[in-house]
Amino acid sequence: MQHKGSGEAIDRRNSPPPPPDAAAEKDEGSQGLQLPEDIRWERLDKARFFVLGAGLFSAVSAALYPAVVLKTRLQVAPVAATGAAALPPSAFGAAAAILRREGALAFYRGFATSLAGTVPARALYMGALEATRSAVGPVALSLGAPEPAASAAAGAAAGLAAAVAAQIVWTPVDVISQRLMVQGNPCPASRYRGGVDAFRKIVGSDGLRGLYRGFGMSILTYAPSNAVWWATYSLSQKIIWSGIGCYLCEYGVGVQEIDLGNGDSSLQPGCKTVMVVQGVSAAMAGGASALVTMPLDTIKTRMQVMDGDGEPITVGRTVRMLIKEGGWAACYKGLGPRWASMSLSATTMITAYEFLKRLSDKGQESGLA
């Protein structure tokens, strides 16, 4: 959702008299499209925002977790193959092989650990995101930046800050959950018996540093990924609204008329129209982000799950192993599942996120815009 004025609604009450041709167009029913105002950080009921957010995003994470498992298994297939049969290179083939050999529960291995980290990580992420976006946007506008550029800059800065804050929690959760993902079904020979056992063994062998293995690569992966995502999301919405705005106004599709008083009115998109535009924009942003940051994600995942065999696990060593296995194309292993996961996740997450903000708006008695 874009706020006006930063996207101000077209309100002609204080405007000079329009020329005759513009007046004629208005008489024929051409009206401005007023986009819903964005709900800023200071307007949110924080307790409701975080509590409801934890529940909503936990449900979304549960629905999308199998794609994350599949992506991770494909990225580390040569490493995991030492303890289990090698997976086919295609996403569908790998999914069928995992289902046949290990059962459906294999797609939720490590989920309990991941879920335990969802609440604090999402709280840090959403808090940093909204606080930064609310601070950067007005500053960019005051410096003379055009509204689209200010919105994109605010989104990029907010995504960057949110990613860094969340990785404080997410990196240990990733290390544990990904190690559980890539091992076979729990049995006496399994290296880890569960999340707690994995935590204890990792700390026992590598100390707390073991839980933050790949932290630098996580920042390098998720910080630009989030910056690209939020900037692309903001720009995509503006492009879509500018493209369909005239159509919506002319044909009255998916809009409702708002009385501005003094005989003036404007058109505002309905809730369903706004959600569709947000969902499409999120899918575009997710796809772009997945493509740009895929090599970094593959390197990060390898570093977090592979054994060092007595040698330090470095970015250079990991990259050399990947290139040796399959050239630069090896850095894009699991791109299909990651692209689908990020696009679907983005669409689902952003609609849930914007809905959550409307539920948490202090200015709405019912919580709905």
Side-chain angles (χ1 to χ4, degrees):
M1 286 190 286
Q2 302 302 320
H3 57 94
K4 46 167 208 137
S6 25
E8 268 78 6
I10 299 176
D11 183 350
R12 298 186 177 87
R13 289 176 293 177
N14 298 319
S15 302
D21 57 342
E25 289 178 5
K26 181 175 178 180
D27 290 340
E28 291 174 5
S30 176
Q31 297 170 291
L33 184 65
Q34 176 178 340
L35 301 184
E37 184 182 3
D38 193 20
I39 302 172
R40 291 188 170 275
W41 177 246
E42 57 271 11
R43 285 176 50 187
L44 294 175
D45 180 328
K46 307 303 188 297
R48 186 189 302 172
F49 181 67
F50 288 124
V51 172
L52 292 179
L56 276 174
F57 290 122
S58 295
V60 172
S61 297
L64 300 175
Y65 194 77
V68 177
V69 172
L70 180 60
K71 182 268 302 182
T72 303
R73 294 286 290 265
L74 284 170
Q75 286 178 319
V76 300
V79 178
T82 59
L87 291 175
S90 71
F92 289 108
I98 293 171
L99 184 63
R100 183 175 62 254
R101 298 170 187 168
E102 304 172 32
L105 289 179
F107 289 102
Y108 281 91
R109 189 169 295 124
F111 178 66
T113 301
S114 179
L115 188 61
T118 293
V119 175
R122 289 294 179 188
L124 285 171
Y125 185 94
M126 293 187 295
L129 178 75
E130 289 300 329
T132 304
R133 187 161 56 175
S134 295
V136 173
V139 171
L141 288 172
S142 68
L143 293 175
E147 201 278 335
S151 181
L160 189 70
V164 173
Q167 283 310 305
I168 296 173
V169 175
W170 271 126
T171 297
V173 170
D174 269 351
V175 169
I176 295 172
S177 62
Q178 287 175 348
R179 292 195 183 196
L180 294 173
M181 288 178 196
V182 300
Q183 70 177 5
N185 277 332
C187 62
S190 294
R191 181 171 184 180
Y192 303 118
R193 301 290 298 169
V196 175
D197 183 56
F199 173 84
R200 185 168 54 248
K201 288 180 178 177
I202 292 170
V203 173
S205 62
D206 301 326
L208 289 177
R209 290 182 58 186
L211 294 175
Y212 281 90
R213 181 189 289 183
F215 179 73
M217 281 303 302
S218 294
I219 297 296
L220 289 176
T221 299
Y222 291 118
S225 174
N226 276 265
V228 169
W229 195 99
W230 284 102
T232 305
Y233 173 69
S234 176
L235 291 174
S236 296
Q237 282 197 90
K238 292 189 177 300
I239 292 172
I240 293 173
W241 283 124
S242 65
I244 69 173
C246 294
Y247 171 82
L248 295 178
C249 290
E250 183 175 354
Y251 296 101
V253 177
V255 296
Q256 55 190 2
E257 188 170 355
I258 304 298
D259 184 12
L260 299 176
N262 297 328
D264 289 333
S265 64
S266 67
L267 296 176
Q268 186 177 72
C271 182
K272 291 182 180 179
T273 305
V274 172
M275 290 181 66
V276 169
V277 171
Q278 290 172 344
V280 173
S281 300
M284 294 170 62
S289 180
L291 185 62
V292 169
T293 61
M294 186 66 204
L296 294 173
D297 184 71
T298 300
I299 295 168
K300 172 194 73 72
T301 302
R302 282 292 189 94
M303 291 182 67
Q304 289 179 331
V305 303
M306 67 186 295
D307 290 322
D309 295 326
E311 298 181 27
I313 299 172
T314 64
V315 174
R317 181 188 174 197
T318 306
V319 172
R320 286 193 297 272
M321 289 179 62
L322 280 168
I323 294 176
K324 183 178 179 181
E325 289 171 11
W328 288 106
C331 294
Y332 284 87
K333 280 187 173 184
L335 175 61
R338 187 169 188 251
W339 183 296
S341 174
M342 287 189 68
S343 296
L344 182 58
S345 172
T347 302
T348 308
M349 288 286 191
I350 201 64
T351 51
Y353 183 70
E354 298 289 359
F355 178 66
L356 171 64
K357 287 174 68 176
R358 291 197 297 274
L359 285 176
S360 305
D361 184 8
K362 296 176 182 177
Q364 297 292 337
E365 182 177 343
S366 65
L368 293 172

